[in-house]
């Protein structure tokens, strides 16, 4: 057995790199979205133990919707990728290419066991470039195949060393084999099939057993077995027992439940006899043909891609018969003889057949019809057969050159096809459009092209593909749901509702006493959620929407999303207690869902229970320390409490929030408000400036920055900020009042101040504050009759305001005194009397984050109730979802804390002091 040289390693690695370097420019497509982008198990915030509790897609194994694909070690490598580069697709593809190169080298090492040096290298080269591997290598989720294959080959190589020079058993390699089999199985389920390959090797290669030898041994050893046979049996018993233990553990992991698949995933699985058997057996030659002629590859072979074989008269049964005949002939030939050629063939057949059994549908249904990536290991056996045939041809002098020429052409065409096929995986649009060229009868492909266009916000084009999906498969519930969602995105609500109603009509009717979830894909129940989300936009149809949610819950009491969506609706219907009960029920189903704890906190806020809300926000953050909405709203709640002990933690949470959302001005604004609370004016100014840079015309940030300047005796700096505020928001009353005050008292610009107050009254003739300040301007201009009339009008508007009445009496007294002295009442041109405009405490209070009188004091609240996805993207290999359509921002009215009340009292005292100053001016000459 020749070793693998460095030159061969470099040759294989270089060939792999040449064929797959363009895969580095591909993104996350198809199943990658669910396994990588939507999988929370990749995030550092998720406990590492969750990888061993959840399936490949991040769904708890205990849940019915789980795919039951238990591959924690593969997910662990994804998590390492995320730790290294987060969601940079290039690093994931780079690792896949490297793993494929490792598999090629190990495969070459395995081939050396039963092929010569040249033939084994040919087999490894063909394996390296075979186009059938693009799905396993270029598709990121194909890493499960790559990792499983590495440990599968390693386990086999370890087992080959279990025989000592004296034919004794060497137990260390057997122990290593068992461990490596377990590791391979934790990467992908088919890893366990290496035990069968080891058994075939032990019996037919290591021991050289043939059919005739078996018959002879049966006769010869009727009354006993030699030591060699007993040692072989002992090794096989150890392997079988280890396998059974692994199977038992695997069954326990999936809790003795098979995943729920629908007829859309695998139509033959729900067909009757003999259609099911004929179709599943026909799929075997279909897979074999893909190995022989990988010219038309497709990422999805479900639904109507391969029509069912319904009768024995179907001509496709001839292909099945031919396949089994060829398989039988090869098996018989390899078992009849004991020479090296027969051993190569039997090992090739074991590599083809045994790893394919779990995906064959022959013993239990799987969630696909044909999947190219599951042919990764079986293709090894195919490559061995081709290399063996090449050796047979090249050994004949006349055919040697022809065989080398044919092999060169085969390797070249396969390499070119592989390189070209990689470009199809560049994006979801390119992948699915290439698939439609091969399979036009697969509604899922039409749906997925629509999804790709929808993600680009090209809804009109997406609608065409979704409608085509309904034509290809009229009973596809997911396709009608996609049509409805797209109509909604196009603001065509009537057509959207009609599409949802069609999808709803396709749902199976409830059969009393029969579990509903076993007859329909769980994601199809989302049609009730989506229809309810659509109609609840109409206030008059809220009860109808609630009825749909309750109908979904009655079909599946464990339908978590229905409780979440109903909780949102109940809040909208002003039923917070019922909303709380809905969320608590959802938490019973999923206690570790951070979004649910967040939603419950929002309900607590609606119920005026901020302490409980904060506790639930904290629970959400315990589960997901970087939950953006929980960070923001919990910090806001702490800020509103006015308790200085919360201020450092609120500041920390806002800082984490802006790390997560660096382009959201609201985070910086609230950091500025916290700094203002702490009288850290320079810090507050910096945060406010950052908020304004990110969001031009940010009302609250601009006004509070101006107010900060005013309170810091930097009134002149406040003027350009107020000008910017009024440029974007010319109706901002309090900005006009503050600007008028600064112009009057610091710029001595009565004309500009009067223009500000007149503008306020033009927008709101009943604004007492603006009216009073205008009266003061008239007094400043020595227009006493006009000031008197103005104050009379102000008093009529606010008859209970004593300061206006006092000012009116003062002006009247002044007029009387001037009249008695015989002086004119006309305004003097050179009046230099200074005065201050009235700014009530409500105006000064606007800068506070909990202002209610100002109407916008704390800036934009971000209490968007985040719910779990519900809009199903039926048509993907793995269910994918969209954000619920019904989620809308909720604005919370903030309450004033004790700290803020004290601040208001201080401002009231300051306002009274200003009143005294105004009265002194009015009383003077």
């Amino acid at each position: 057995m020749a070793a693998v040289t460095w030159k061969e390693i470099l040759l294989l690695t270089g060939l792999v790199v040449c064929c797959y370097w363009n895969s580095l420019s591909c993104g996350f497509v198809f199943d990658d979205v669910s396994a990588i982008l939507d999988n929370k198990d990749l995030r550092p915030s998720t406990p590492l133990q969750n990888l061993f509790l959840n399936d490949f897609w991040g769904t708890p194994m205990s849940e019915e919707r789980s795919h039951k694909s238990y591959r924690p070690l593969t997910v662990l490598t994804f998590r390492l990728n995320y730790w290294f580069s987060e969601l940079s697709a290039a690093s994931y593809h780079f690792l896949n290419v490297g793993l494929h190169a490792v598999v090629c080298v190990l495969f070459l090492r395995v081939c050396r066991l039963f092929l010569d040096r040249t033939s084994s290298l040919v087999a490894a080269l063909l394996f390296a470039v075979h186009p059938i591997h693009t799905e396993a290598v270029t598709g990121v989720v194909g890493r499960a195949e790559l990792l499983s294959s590495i440990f599968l080959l390693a386990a086999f190589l370890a087992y080959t060393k279990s025989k000592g020079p004296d034919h004794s058993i060497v137990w260390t390699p057997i122990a290593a084999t068992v461990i490596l089999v377990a590791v391979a199985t934790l990467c992908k389920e088919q890893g366990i099939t290496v035990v069968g390959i080891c058994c075939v090797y032990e019996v037919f290669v290591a021991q050289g057993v043939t059919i005739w030898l078996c018959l002879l041994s049966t006769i010869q050893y009727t009354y006993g077995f030699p030591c060699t046979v007993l040692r072989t049996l002992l090794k096989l018993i150890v392997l079988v027992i280890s396998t059974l233990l692994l199977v038992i553990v695997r069954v326990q992991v999936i809790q003795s439940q098979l995943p729920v698949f629908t007829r859309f995933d695998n139509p033959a699985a729900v067909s009757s006899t003999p259609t099911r058997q004929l179709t599943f057996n026909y799929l075997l030659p279909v897979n074999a043909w893909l190995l022989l002629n990988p010219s038309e590859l497709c990422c999805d072979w479900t639904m109507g891609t391969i029509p069912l074989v319904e009768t024995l008269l179907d001509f496709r049964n001839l292909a099945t018969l031919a396949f089994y005949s060829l398989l039988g002939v090869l098996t018989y030939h390899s078992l009849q003889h004991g020479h090296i050629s027969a051993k190569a063939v039997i090992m090739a057949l074991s590599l083809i057949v045994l790893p394919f059994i779990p995906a064959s549908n022959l013993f239990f249904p799987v969630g696909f019809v044909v999947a190219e990536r599951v042919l990764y290991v079986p293709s090894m056996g195919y490559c061995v057969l081709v290399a063996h045939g090449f050796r047979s041809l090249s050994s004949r002098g006349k055919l040697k050159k022809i065989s080398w020429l044919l092999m060169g052409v085969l390797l070249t065409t396969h390499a070119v096809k592989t390189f070209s096929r990689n470009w199809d995986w560049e994006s979801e649009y390119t992948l699915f459009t290439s698939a439609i060229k091969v399979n036009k009868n697969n509604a899922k492909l039409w749906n997925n092209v629509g999804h790709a266009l929808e993600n680009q916000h090209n809804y009109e084009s997406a609608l065409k593909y979704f409608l085509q999906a309904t034509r290809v498969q009229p009973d596809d519930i997911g396709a009608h749901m996609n049509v409805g969602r797209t109509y909604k995105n196009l603001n065509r609500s009537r057509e959207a509702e009609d599409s949802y109603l069609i999808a709803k009509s396709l749902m199976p009717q409830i059969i009393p006493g029969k579990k509903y979830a076993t007859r329909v894909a769980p994601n199809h129940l989302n049609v009730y959620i989506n229809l309810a989300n659509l109609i609840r936009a109409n206030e008059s149809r809220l009860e109808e929407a609630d009825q749909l949610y309750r109908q979904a819950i009655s079909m599946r009491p464990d339908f978590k999303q229905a409780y979440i969506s109903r909780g949102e609706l109940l809040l909208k219907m002003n039923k917070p207690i019922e909303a709380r009960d809905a969320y608590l029920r959802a938490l019973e189903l999923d206690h570790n869902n951070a979004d649910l704890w967040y939603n419950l906190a929002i309900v607590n806020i609606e119920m005026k229970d901020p302490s409980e809300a904060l506790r639930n926000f904290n629970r959400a953050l315990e589960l997901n320390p970087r939950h953006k909405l929980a960070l923001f709203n919990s910090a806001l709640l702490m800020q509103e409490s006015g308790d200085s002990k919360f201020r450092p933690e609120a500041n920390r949470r806002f800082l984490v929030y802006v790390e997560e959302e660096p382009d959201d001005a609201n985070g910086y604004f609230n950091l500025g408000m916290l700094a203002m609370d702490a009288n850290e004016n320079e810090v507050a100014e910096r945060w406010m400036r950052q908020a304004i840079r990110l969001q031009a015309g940010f009302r609250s940030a601009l006004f509070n920055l101006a107010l900060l300047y005013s309170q810091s005796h930097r009134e002149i700096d406040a003027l350009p900020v107020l000008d910017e505020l009024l440029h974007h928001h010319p109706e901002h009353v309090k900005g006009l009042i503050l600007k008028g005050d600064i112009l009057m008292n610091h710029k001595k610009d009565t004309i500009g101040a009067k223009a500000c107050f007149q503008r306020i009254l033009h927008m709101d003739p009943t604004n007492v504050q603006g009216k009073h300040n205008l009266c003061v301007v008239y007094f400043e201009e020595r227009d006493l009759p006009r000031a008197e009339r103005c104050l009379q009008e102000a008093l009529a508007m606010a008859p209970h305001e004593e300061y206006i009445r006092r000012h009116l009496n003062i002006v009247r007294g002044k007029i009387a005194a001037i009249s008695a002295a015989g002086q004119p009442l006309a305004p003097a041109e050179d009046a230099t009397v200074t005065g201050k405009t009235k700014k009530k405490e409500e105006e000064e209070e606007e800068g506070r984050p909990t202002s209610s009188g100002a109407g916008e004091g704390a800036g934009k609240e971000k209490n968007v109730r985040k719910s779990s996805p519900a809009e199903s993207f039926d048509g993907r290999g793995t269910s994918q979802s969209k954000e619920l359509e019904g989620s809308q921002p909720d604005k919370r009215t903030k309450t004033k804390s004790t700290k803020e009340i004290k601040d208001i009292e201080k401002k009231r005292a300051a306002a009274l002091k200003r009143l005294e100053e105004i009265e002194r001016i009015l009383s003077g000459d």
Side-chain angles (χ1 to χ4, degrees), residues 147 495 669 747 766:
L147 288 171
E495 292 94 332
F669 168 73
K747 297 287 286 185
T766 63

Side-chain angles (χ1 to χ4, degrees), residues 122-192:
V122 167
L125 291 173
L126 180 58
F127 180 80
V129 302
H130 203 295
I132 202 71
H133 300 154
T134 51
E135 182 171 345
V137 180
T138 308
V140 176
V141 294
R143 185 177 300 174
E145 266 74 24
L146 303 174
L147 288 171
S148 179
S149 298
I150 287 174
F151 293 107
L152 181 150
L153 294 174
F156 178 72
L157 288 172
Y159 183 79
T160 60
K161 299 178 181 179
S162 63
K163 182 178 179 181
D166 56 350
H167 300 286
S168 61
I169 299 176
V170 182
W171 289 106
T172 301
I174 293 179
T177 298
V178 173
I179 294 172
L180 290 169
V181 170
V183 174
T185 306
L186 291 176
C187 294
K188 192 176 181 183
E189 297 78 3
Q190 69 180 27
I192 200 170

Side-chain angles (χ1 to χ4, degrees), residues 463-476:
L463 181 61
K464 296 177 183 177
Y465 282 92
F466 289 141
L467 289 172
Q468 178 63 23
T470 63
R471 287 189 283 268
V472 170
Q473 189 88 31
D475 58 350
D476 182 5

Side-chain angles (χ1 to χ4, degrees), residues 214-245:
C214 286
L215 294 175
L216 182 62
S217 299
T218 303
I219 298 172
Q220 185 176 358
Y221 304 124
T222 303
Y223 301 102
F225 295 95
C227 292
T228 303
V229 175
L230 291 176
R231 281 195 292 265
T232 300
L233 288 175
L234 182 59
K235 291 166 70 176
L236 295 180
I237 289 172
V238 170
L239 287 178
V240 170
I241 292 176
S242 301
T243 304
L244 289 176
L245 290 175

